Structures are given as C-alpha cells and as structure tokens.
C-alpha cells in the first residue's frame, strides 16, 4: 500500500476494512452457500470454508452491491466507458480507474476497489484476517438467506443457459 500511494491516482487510498454492504461480494458463491448451511445448522463458519476473496465473478458481484440502477450511466458519463466494455470488464478484469469510480459512487473504501481489480489482497488492503467469516456469522439470518437466494438464482440462470446451449448442439 505504501508503494501504491506514491502514485498520484492512488495517493488518497488508505488501508481499511470492507464496508458491511460490500463484503458478501468477496465471498464466492460456494463459500456463501456453505456458510448459509452452517448458519442454518447453528454452526460457526470459519474463514477457510469461504474460499478465496478473489474469484471469477467478484467484480460482477461487487458491482451489483454498488449499483442503485444508475451506476452504469454514471461510469459512462464519468469515464467514457461504454456499457459493452463495462460488461466485459465485469466478467474478466476490472480496470483500476473503473473500480475506484465504482467505490467512490457507492461510498465503499477505495482499498476495496484495488482488491476487486486484483492490485491488492485483502490483507494488503488492511482487512482483518477473519472479517468475512465474522460478517457471515453475525449477519441476521434473513439477510444471509436473501443474499444466498440471489446467488442461487444467478447460478440457476447460468446452468439453464448452459443446458439450453448444450441441447441445441446435440
């Protein structure tokens, strides 16, 4: 982090924990669902069960946490990033400038943007080692179930699309 703040575009970034309303994005779907099962069984979730903080759909999940319905238009207006380009970045690698703009828009810590874009790890951003499992263990069960339901719908849609594609091939 010290080295990054030497660069003008990163000078205002400080270490910080992720915001409560963004932390779900840093848990892969399988980890989130495993954690939900533990909570339903009145068991404690440990950090190792949650998977890596960086995974294939991280940028898309994080964007969804930040989006109030106007974020795509804001990114296009502020940075000139067209929506097709933004969608491609959300499914591959999110550029640092776009991630920082999303964090500013959503009032997320700027360090989180650099975790999403792959520049920093959570530890380098200043996260406490057990922050994700602590969040999952203390989140009201209804909220956890709602988050899990969103992820299950997403996975279901992906599976249906894949099945449709495969059925058309054969």
């Amino acid at each position: 982090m010290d080295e990054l703040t030497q660069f003008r575009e990163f000078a205002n970034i400080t270490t910080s924990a992720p915001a409560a309303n963004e932390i779900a994005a840093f848990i892969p779907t399988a980890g989130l669902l495993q954690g939900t099962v533990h909570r339903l069984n009145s068991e404690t979730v440990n950090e190792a069960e949650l998977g890596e903080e960086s995974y294939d759909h991280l940028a898309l999940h994080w964007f969804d946490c930040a989006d109030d319905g106007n974020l795509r238009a804001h990114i296009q207006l502020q940075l000139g990033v067209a929506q097709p380009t933004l969608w491609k970045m959300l499914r591959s690698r999110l550029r640092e400038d776009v991630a920082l703009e999303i964090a500013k828009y959503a009032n997320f810590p700027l360090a989180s943007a650099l975790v999403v874009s792959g520049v920093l790890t959570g530890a380098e951003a200043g996260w406490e080692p057990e922050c994700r499992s602590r969040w999952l263990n203390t989140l009201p069960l209804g909220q956890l179930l709602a988050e899990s339901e969103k992820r299950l719908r997403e996975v279901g849609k992906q599976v249906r699309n894949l099945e449709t594609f495969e059925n058309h091939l054969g």
Side-chain angles (χ1 to χ4, degrees):
M1 183 66 96
D2 291 336
E3 291 176 27
L4 276 177
T5 58
Q6 305 274 329
F7 296 95
R8 182 178 47 83
E9 56 270 0
F10 303 124
N12 296 330
I13 299 174
T14 58
T15 58
S16 61
N21 56 341
E22 70 172 333
I23 201 161
F26 293 101
I27 303 173
T29 299
L32 183 69
L33 296 177
Q34 180 67 37
T36 302
V37 169
H38 281 307
R39 287 285 307 277
L40 288 170
N41 289 322
S42 300
E43 299 170 354
T44 301
V45 179
N46 68 55
E47 194 73 21
E49 295 173 290
L50 299 180
E52 298 295 322
E53 65 201 22
S54 182
Y55 60 98
D56 286 345
H57 293 101
L58 168 58
L60 186 59
H61 291 153
W62 187 70
F63 181 89
D64 288 343
C65 288
D67 191 14
D68 61 0
N70 297 314
L71 184 51
R72 289 172 199 83
H74 175 81
I75 295 299
Q76 187 164 8
L77 179 68
Q78 293 298 311
L79 300 176
V81 175
Q83 288 193 26
T85 304
L86 177 61
W87 284 117
K88 183 178 179 186
M89 278 191 260
L90 291 172
R91 285 166 176 76
S92 56
R93 186 184 175 283
L94 191 59
R95 280 188 349 221
E96 292 82 7
D97 62 327
V98 176
L100 288 167
E101 189 62 36
I102 291 168
K104 289 174 192 172
Y105 181 87
N107 202 26
F108 291 161
L110 297 180
S112 293
L114 297 182
V115 174
V116 172
S117 64
V119 173
L120 297 175
T121 65
E124 292 168 335
W127 296 3
E128 294 181 21
E130 303 289 319
C131 69
R132 298 178 312 149
S133 58
R134 186 173 36 260
W135 172 84
L136 207 147
N137 285 317
T138 59
L139 187 69
L141 188 56
Q143 285 180 258
L144 179 57
L145 290 169
E147 184 64 36
S148 296
E149 180 183 21
K150 280 186 347 190
R151 295 283 188 92
L152 279 172
R153 274 194 310 259
E154 174 189 309
V155 170
K157 182 178 177 183
Q158 291 170 355
V159 168
R160 285 188 302 277
N161 288 344
L162 181 60
E163 288 171 346
T164 301
F165 177 75
E166 288 173 349
N167 287 335
H168 283 72
L169 288 178

